[in-house]
Amino acid sequence: MKKLIILLTIAALVCLTFTAMAAGDGIAFDTSVNAINEGETLQTTLTREGAAAEGEVTYTSSNPKMATVDENGLVTAVLKGRVIITAVVKADKKSYKAQLQLNIIRPVTAVTVNTAKLPVYDAADEKVSPFLTARENADENTMPVLLLPVKKRLTLPAAAEPKDASNAALTFASGDESIFTAVKNNITGVAPGEAILTVASVSNPEIMTRYRVLVVQPVTKLTIESSAPTVTVGQQVSVSSQAAPDNATMKNVIWSSGDERIITVDANGTVTGVKRGNGRVIATAADGSNIRANYSIKVVQNPESITLPGSEMTVDVGRKAPCKATVEPKDTDDKKVIWTSSDESIATVNKSGQITGVSIGDCTITCTSEALDSVSASITVHVQQPVRKLTFNGKVAYAYVGEGTQLGWTIEPDNATNKTLDFKSSKEMIATVDANGIVTGVKGGKTAITAMTTDGSKRKAQITVQVGEHVTGVQMVRNHAYIDPGETATAGANIEPKDALNKNMTWVSSDPNIVTASGNTNHKMKLHGVNYGDAVITGTTEDGGFQTTLPVTVGDFDHGVSFLSYDYDSDGNTWLSVRNNLNFNITQITAELELWDCTEELEPAVINTKNGSNKVNVVWSGTLPPGGTTGQRNWRMVNFRTPECGMSMTRGSITIVSFQIDGDWIKTITKSHRPNDYWN
């Protein structure tokens, strides 16, 4: 059994009985221990007197997620919080009850200090090791060292772990307050020397973390000297520092660069030029005093090379194209260049590198550094007549699986130098396209075919290609339709295969005086009831001439069910008594329940767990024969939650909206004919 933590606060003992209890009869828990740690166990002690001395004891926990209890009263702590353990004894036709309130404690397991922004060093670090003295306790010699200047205060970001421990309070203690003081989480340097800092848990002082605190006489001023005021990229100069006062404990500094993109500086003060610009060397006192000094060094850079965008480029007749010259390195002091053309009858170039195509042909454009004429670069320019417009002959093309289709397109002008195109299919698993623009279907679906000019004009066009199979058959989705005169309903057919390319269909009624049909595809064919009776709708596929039929009965189906009564229990579970008025079996009934709180404002009651509304569906499933009536069974509430004020304190209505005939056709009742009732 794990160690128990005894709290000072003792919960009140509550002893209740379910029936009248004679004097001296009863049970009681030993409440001397009322707190345990997570993961520990506690064997409770139950005193039984009088008539309660006999009989079976039953133990329960008010929250098994926090603590469990077995049949012997052994409690296992699971999760931080408060829980009540209840014991019940049934004896001599009476029940005796006792309760024990337990606090489940989450203990502190570690104490941490975030040292990311603190001057903390390893004891062996040469920055602090010369100023440390050997300690008698060997463990203290290896502790991390916290550097603290005299009169400086540091705030320690310390915390107990886990963060949600029951008591996360910490204590901060100085091993020698003549060296430094610790007030809450603030430590202040008093005099040069060394002492131990202890940060410990209040609830469990054995959990702690410790540091060697080295208090130093701080540096108050730094100055920097350099061997030269400037440095060339790739070259080096050295810097040194002087510290004041003379009695400062640590006079060494930490070197850094204000911008390492311009200069770098190593631990010995060696500065290296990285790129052109004004660099800044920074010396920071290593004693934690944060005293700093700055020194500016200029970095200079000469041009080394010129880079153009490739070895050749194409320019259209009468068009301009930029040619960007990159002088390297990027931080060169003088980046000015001179542009020239080998044949200005073909192409010219201005001082910014903008090239203008004059006539069809080739020439050379040269870029030379103004500062160093030995640094230059050249590019070959091809002047051409470009494609101005590219279009496909149509927006959509069709292809059957395994069959090829030649795409058609138009290029303008006719005298374009290069009319070659690149073709690409966005989904090659649907269709592929070759260099000649012939599309071959792979499987049913849609893909986009893109054509792109290859002359650099970047003209492109796109066409959608629909790929599918030939129709092999067709079958109605529903077996039978039941509609009312004047009602319009939808029905559909499944064409085989699913990826058939042509799904157009025609629909014909065997008796338009009973029902009519309209639509030109297999999807959402519309039925319109005309007069009572039976008829058959026949659908024929455009591809292959395959046929399918749908029997339709036009009758009074809006009155196919009668709403007899409804009822509900205290949890809000609702059921209806509904009679089947048809000559067919009904296999499902859907009603809509709507509730409002019984207040003056008549606010909607939140009962739908999915969308938070005041409406839910009540659904009956089964087989209801002609003339049959539903009972309380087989009804279910969809996404329902009991209203906060209870069913008895609500106003509501319930409406039958639809029913299913023979497990196939779902009849949606016209709104004006829907049976309903309400209460308030």
Side-chain angles (χ1 to χ4, degrees), residues 267-532:
N268 299 316
T270 300
V271 179
T272 302
V274 178
K275 75 170 186 176
R276 174 178 174 270
N278 292 316
R280 183 165 54 94
V281 176
I282 304 170
T284 304
D287 61 2
S289 62
N290 290 328
I291 298 299
R292 303 173 71 185
N294 297 274
Y295 188 85
S296 296
I297 295 179
K298 183 178 180 180
V299 182
V300 295
Q301 174 67 62
N302 290 326
E304 296 177 357
S305 65
I306 295 176
T307 302
L308 299 180
S311 60
E312 59 182 350
M313 64 183 292
T314 300
V315 180
D316 298 339
V317 173
R319 293 295 181 92
K320 300 179 185 298
C323 184
K324 182 181 179 181
T326 303
V327 180
E328 297 177 341
K330 293 181 179 180
D331 55 356
T332 298
D333 285 81
D334 188 353
K335 294 185 178 182
K336 295 179 181 179
V337 295
I338 300 171
W339 294 90
T340 58
S341 170
S342 66
D343 190 342
E344 292 191 347
S345 67
I346 294 175
T348 60
V349 60
N350 66 12
K351 62 181 181 180
S352 300
Q354 187 178 63
I355 300 171
T356 301
V358 178
S359 62
I360 296 174
D362 300 331
C363 68
T364 301
I365 301 296
T366 302
C367 179
T368 305
S369 169
E370 188 177 276
L372 296 173
D373 57 11
S374 61
V375 179
S376 66
S378 298
I379 187 170
T380 299
V381 175
H382 307 287
V383 180
Q384 68 163 8
Q385 176 60 54
V387 174
R388 299 299 185 195
K389 186 176 181 180
L390 171 64
T391 56
F392 275 110
N393 302 338
K395 295 182 179 180
V396 180
Y398 299 91
Y400 286 101
V401 174
E403 299 178 13
T405 298
Q406 175 67 62
L407 298 177
W409 61 88
T410 302
I411 291 177
E412 298 177 14
D414 289 338
N415 66 337
T417 303
N418 181 2
K419 294 185 178 182
T420 304
L421 302 178
D422 282 337
F423 295 93
K424 183 178 180 181
S425 171
S426 64
K427 296 180 181 178
E428 292 193 343
M429 73 288 293
I430 302 297
T432 61
V433 59
D434 66 12
N436 299 314
I438 297 176
V439 176
T440 301
V442 178
K443 72 173 185 178
K446 288 184 180 181
T447 183
I449 302 297
T450 302
M452 175 77 76
T453 58
T454 60
D455 65 352
S457 62
K458 297 183 180 179
R459 304 298 179 184
K460 66 179 181 179
Q462 191 175 84
I463 188 170
T464 298
V465 175
Q466 175 73 52
V467 180
E469 298 277 3
H470 285 289
V471 174
T472 60
V474 63
Q475 185 175 2
M476 295 302 301
V477 175
R478 301 293 183 182
N479 296 321
H480 202 118
Y482 302 90
I483 62 176
D484 287 60
E487 178 185 0
T488 298
T490 59
N494 292 326
I495 285 182
E496 297 177 354
K498 292 182 179 180
D499 57 352
L501 182 61
N502 184 352
K503 296 186 177 181
N504 291 338
M505 293 185 68
T506 58
W507 301 92
V508 178
S509 171
S510 64
D511 191 344
N513 292 321
I514 294 176
V515 63
T516 62
S518 61
N520 56 11
T521 70
N522 68 318
H523 182 58
K524 291 188 177 179
M525 176 266 291
K526 290 186 177 180
L527 300 173
H528 182 74
V530 179
N531 290 302
Y532 288 165

Side-chain angles (χ1 to χ4, degrees), residues 147-159:
L147 197 60
L148 179 64
V150 171
K151 296 184 180 181
K152 184 176 178 65
R153 184 177 70 179
L154 288 178
T155 299
L156 303 177

Side-chain angles (χ1 to χ4, degrees), residues 23-36:
D25 297 339
I27 61 175
F29 276 111
D30 177 2
T31 62
S32 61
V33 176
N34 69 340
I36 58 176

